[in-house]
Each structure stands twice: as C-alpha cells, then as structure tokens.
Amino acid sequence: MSSENIVMEQVLVNGLYLGMQYALIALGLTLIFALMNVLNFAHGQLYVVGGFITYIIYGKLGLPFFVAIVASGVTLGLVGAVIEKFLFRPVIRKSVREESTMLLAAAIAFFLDAIILLLFGEKQRGVPKILDGVMNLDFVVIMPYDRILIAALAGSAVVTFILFMQYSKPGRAMRALAQDRIAAQLMGVNVDRYSMIGFALGAMLAGVAGGLLVSIVGVNSGIGGPVSIKAFMMVMIGGAGVISGAIAGGFILGMLESIGLTVLVAYGDLTYLVIFVSLMIFLSIRPQGLMGKPWG
Amino acid sequence: MFVNSFSKYAGLKASLMTAALALTSVHSPITLAANEVLKIGFVGVTSGPAASWGISNQRSMEAGAAIINDNGGVKIGSVTYDLEIVSFDDQKDPKRAIAGMEKMAQENIHYVVGPNVDDGAAAVRPVAEQNDIIYFPYAFPKSLYQKPASNAVLGMVANYQSGPAIYKFLKDNNGVNTVAFIAANESDPLTQRESGVAAAEALGLKVVSKTVTYQVDTTDFSPVIIPIVKLQPDLLVLSGVAPANAPQIIRSARELGFKGLISTETGQDAQVLQEGAGSLANGFISVGGASTPTIRTKNMEAFIARYTEMFGEYNDESNTKVYALEYIVETLKANPAAINNVDEFKKTMDTFSAPNQYLKGDQVLRYVGMSSFGQRRQLSIPLVVNVYNEGKFETLFIAEVD
C-alpha cells in the first residue's frame, strides 16, 4: 500500500481500540506487581480462563453477555484469591528470593495451560456477535459496532478500576501497600488481606478482558503465553507497578501496532521488529519505563 | 469435552488422557491383549497455539488404532498385532522434535507420524535416517522428500500442489484475476506464501499484495487486513493459516467490506469457522480429505463416530489425518518383512496399492510424488477442495496429486 492511500483517521481509531483492550489486559498484571512484587507469568492464562467462561455462559448456555462477563470476573477473582492465599502467600513468607515467586508463577502458568487444554480442548472457540453492523464514516473510518461497544466496556472497566483505587478504602490501602509495604503495615493496613484482594482484583481484570475479547477474537487454549508476553511489554513500556503506566503502555503499544501495520506493510513484517528494537533502546535509556521509579 | 458435553464420561476419560499427555509429554496407552503389540509413533505439537494440528493427528491415530484393536487387531503376515500409539509433544520446537524422534528410536519404533511443521520435520531427519525410521511429516519443504532423502513421506497435499489447482479453478469458474496473500510471520506460512505467489503468477494472475503479515497472537486483525481490503482483490489467500486465526481474519475482512473470495490451502474445522465467523465465513474455500457426507464412506462415518466417542468432539482436520496410520498398516500388510525393515517398506512404496476405505468410488491408496519429488514419497490423499456454507463444508471439486 502506498503512503498516499493511508487513512490516518482509521489508523488512529484502530490504535485507540487496540490500546483500550491492551490497557485492560495490562492493568491486572501491573497491580499484582505493584502490591506483591510478583511477576505473574500466569496472567495470560487467567485471561484465557475468563474467555472460556464467557464462551460457556454466553456462547453455549445462551445467557446474556453481561452475565457472562460478570461470571468471568467473579470466577477469576475467586481463583486469584485462592492462588494468592494458598500459593503465593506461603512462598513469599518463607522465601526472600524473588525468583521463588517467579518460578511459582511460571508453574501456575504451565498448570493452567494443561488444565485449560484438558477442559476446553484444542480448538479455537468463538461466540455469536454481540452487535451486528459496521460504522462506516464515508470509508474514512470503518469500525464494527461490536468493537466500539467492547472498547467502551473496556474503557468503563479501566475508569471504574481507577476510581476504585483512588477513592475506596481498599483502593487506598492497596496504594499504600504499593508505595511502601512496611510503612503501610505499621499504619495498620492488613497486608495479607489487601494482598489477597489485590491479587483477586488483578485476576478479575484479566478475566474481564478475556471475557470481553472472546466476542471479538475468540479464544484458544494456547494463547495464554503470548498474551502474557504482550502484557509484560506494555508494563515495561509504562513502568512496572504503575497503574497509569500500564494504561499508557497499552495505548502506546496499540498505536505502534496500528501505525506500523499500515505504514510498514510494504516492507513485510517489520512492525514487531521495529517495536522490539525500539523497546530495547528505550529500556536501555529508561529501564524503569515511562512512569516507573528508578528505585522500584 | 467440557465444551460440548459437560458430563460425558467419555469426554472425561479423554480429558484425563490429555492431562497425562500434557503433564508428562510422553505417554503410552496400556494395551492388554493376547496379540503382539506393534508400536507406531507420533511426534508433533499438542500444546500451545498450534495444538490443534498435532492433537488431531494424535487422536486420529488413537481412534484408528482403537477401531483396529476392537476388531481383533491387524494381521501382518502370520502374526496378529494390536496397535499402540506412542506420542510425544514437541511443542512446535525443533529441539524437542529431535528428542521425540530419539525417544521413538529408543522404543525401537520404525514408523512415526509427524512432525507438523517445517523446521521440526527438517530437524528430525538425521535421527530418523540414522535409526531406520520412516516418518510422515505434515511439512512441505521439498528437500525432505527428494533424493538423497528417503525416509520422509509427506502426509498431506502440499500447498504448492493444491494452490495452483484452486487458483486455476477460481480463475476459470469465478473470473478471478487479482489475488492478495496474507501470512503469519512464521516460517511455514511465509514459505507457503512464496510458493502461492509463484503459482498465481504462473497462472497469469495479478498479485496485488504479498507483503501483509501478522503475529499469531494478534488480537485484532483490522489494522492488518485494512491495506488488503482497500485493494479489493478478487481473491484473498490466507497462506498456511492456522484454524485459530482463519475465522478472525475472515470476520475482520468481511466486516471491513471485503467482497472477494477467500481461500486457504490448509485444512480447517467447520465448527471453528461457525463459532468464530458465523455466516461471514460462507464461501470460504479450504482443503480437506474425506470431508463431506456426499463423498465419504460408512467406514469414515464410523471413524468419526469413534473419534467423537473417545474425545468428545470431532475435528475436521482429521479428515486428512485419518490416512497416515492407514497407509502404514496397509503397507505393512502388503509386505510383512517391512515391519522391522524400512528398506522393505521403501521398496513396497513403489508398487503399493490398496482400496481407500474412507472415500466412495474407486479411489485407491498409493504413494505418489513423482512429479514434485522425483520419487514416491507422498501419501495419495485426495485433494478435496471444500467451500464452507452455514456450518458445514460442501465439496467444490476433487483432484489428485501424481
């Protein structure tokens, strides 16, 4: 495609849409890192479980999409709470080495991969469209209505999460934990309780993202690993453990993809090559990411 | 499986088998019978995003073996054998594929189905040749099947064989003049794209786009597909597309206003297309084996029923993958000396012929490949070109590879 054919409005809209879904995926990962200093390699697998729950409830049982999304979020929240209480908490208590939690997270990812394949099979799964029709603004911007709705729902989830973290008591407690765990404990914050709530919330966000996106891209049992990698990229761009950084990282990655896939199309698949090279250069200059603190 | 039959015992049993596979990578189903046991190997990908390819292979072999064992085994020469399928998940990693083939050699297995992808198939070649293993890859590099190589037998129709047939059919019958290609940024799809482009150009078609690629973990294909949609080619070819990606690409293309035909040279699953793209997938052209009710026999129906009973749901990719075990068993029956001697197997391949029990008509099983490889190193799988319509495949045309 020649550059004169590029419709920048379409590129920007695609970038915003991608950014919205990416931000939602990355939020949970960065929350867990902020609270517990845990790199949750199983984040993508939690996303996949959320997708399959929506697939079963909406796609197979025929219940409303909204019910399926709530079920995905609640179920993953419970799964997250159980994982934190019975797996991460004992490991964090007994081991001062950070790699212990990393290995545990990797083990959970492999375990969930096997369980997901066991329960849901190897096939790609999809659900009926939640909205028919396409918005076509004189062929300058084309966007199916269901993508617009999903972007709006993802945006609402992000805003709700930010408000929760900003103004609710658990949100404030978790922010205090993220800033200084020991100081928060000295101020009376129940570390165990809010760590569990935080992990549950992170898992819930992954589940909601999976549930929302199954209506657009479907889901399959092997996609968890690649989703985790992409989520880590966003978190690294924005700054690990910083909520606003994850959102920024999601939008930056979405926009880079959208622009790259359009502008670089004539040169083959250079988009991700360029993104990865840019990320390496960026991290070598600013290893803490855009909004992260150099001291962690 | 959970998706289709929540409480099916058969599905649970299959699930437990899959769990054992996933947790240990290697498993050997226990066979208790008076007959001797003939082990046939499988090395392929049964986990990760491409799991569908290998799992359909493995399950096709297990269902085929179960049918044979239930009927008292297979008589090869004067000995009756029960079949045992020994599987190894290579995770689409060439290093693990080598380990898998070495595992087969340690178990003294001479006939192995797989691997599923180009680099894995190339990687296992030395191990197979050094250990007298005939293997049946689902990978297309010609060097695997041309002399001096002699131990690999292509298990399906290659895209450089099916592509020209499909493009010519569409050119003659649908007036296709312009074509665009899209491929995942991986070795197999990119290789298939190159040969597809060459085939299209050789037919006089105008290739309007051949540089669009995508990552396999793409979560929205709109940005990827828009450059092609704007060109509005008569035909969009999804080179080497995985069943997981096909419905997403089709859906994005159609929603963005693409009006032309869409085709691929890989096998697909009707249910996956139905769930992922619904009626937007109508008209999608793909390649299958004994794939539609109008052309398949009762034996094929029985195979599908057994597969479904064992694993909860059928996978249409097995319409092609049903054949590998059948060829191995029938060739051994034709020359029992080949059971421990792959040179005997190779000799038999030149003259072998047996009825095709899965397709109606007088189709036969035979080894082909003289035109493409200069030696008979390919299974003669009927080139059945399907078109998807409202949840099922319909046969567009059938051709043969020589």
Side-chain angles (χ1 to χ4, degrees), chain B residues 327-349:
Chain B
Y327 266 90
I328 293 169
V329 169
E330 290 299 321
T331 309
L332 293 176
K333 281 166 69 179
N335 182 3
I339 201 149
N340 285 312
N341 186 339
V342 296
D343 290 330
E344 289 294 327
F345 194 96
K346 291 175 190 173
K347 283 184 202 166
T348 310
M349 289 165 73

Side-chain angles (χ1 to χ4, degrees), chain A residues 1 5-7 10 14-15 17-18 21-22 25 47 52 55-56 60-61 111 114 117-131 133-134 139-140 142-144 146-147 213-218 220-223 226-227 229-230 257-258 261-262 265-270 272 276, chain B residues 1-4 6 11-12 14-19 21-23 46-49 51-53 55-56 59 185 193 209 211-224 226-227 229-231 243-245 247-248 251-252 254-257 269 271-272 275-276 280 307 313-316:
Chain A
M1 188 182 179
N5 290 332
I6 295 171
V7 179
Q10 181 72 58
N14 286 335
Y17 165 72
L18 279 173
Q21 54 168 274
Y22 286 172
I25 292 172
Y47 164 97
F52 274 117
Y55 168 76
I56 295 291
K60 285 291 171 189
L61 300 180
F111 174 75
L117 185 63
L118 172 79
L119 290 177
F120 301 108
E122 79 285 8
K123 287 186 181 180
Q124 171 79 8
R125 308 291 181 183
V127 300
K129 282 173 70 71
I130 52 175
L131 265 185
V134 177
F139 291 98
V140 174
I142 305 172
M143 182 65 73
D146 57 352
R147 282 180 168 78
L213 289 181
V214 76
S215 68
I216 305 294
V217 295
N220 69 68
S221 55
I223 202 71
V227 168
I229 290 171
K230 202 166 262 188
E257 274 188 28
S258 182
L261 288 168
T262 305
V265 67
Y267 309 103
D269 195 67
L270 288 181
Y272 267 85
F276 279 119
Chain B
M1 306 290 283
F2 190 47
V3 186
N4 268 7
F6 293 85
L12 179 60
S15 297
L16 290 172
M17 286 173 65
T18 309
L21 166 72
L23 292 171
T46 56
S47 60
S52 178
W53 284 336
I55 288 178
S56 59
R59 289 180 173 178
N185 190 29
R193 183 190 65 185
S209 174
T211 56
V212 174
T213 59
Y214 57 90
Q215 302 294 118
V216 290
D217 61 342
T218 298
T219 54
D220 183 17
F221 280 90
S222 296
V224 179
I226 279 174
V229 171
K230 289 186 179 303
L231 295 170
N245 292 135
Q248 301 174 53
R251 180 169 161 174
S252 288
R254 293 297 185 212
E255 286 179 338
L256 292 169
D269 182 83
Q271 186 193 356
V272 169
E275 288 185 354
L280 294 174
Y307 187 114
E313 66 178 328
Y314 187 62
N315 188 327
D316 287 324

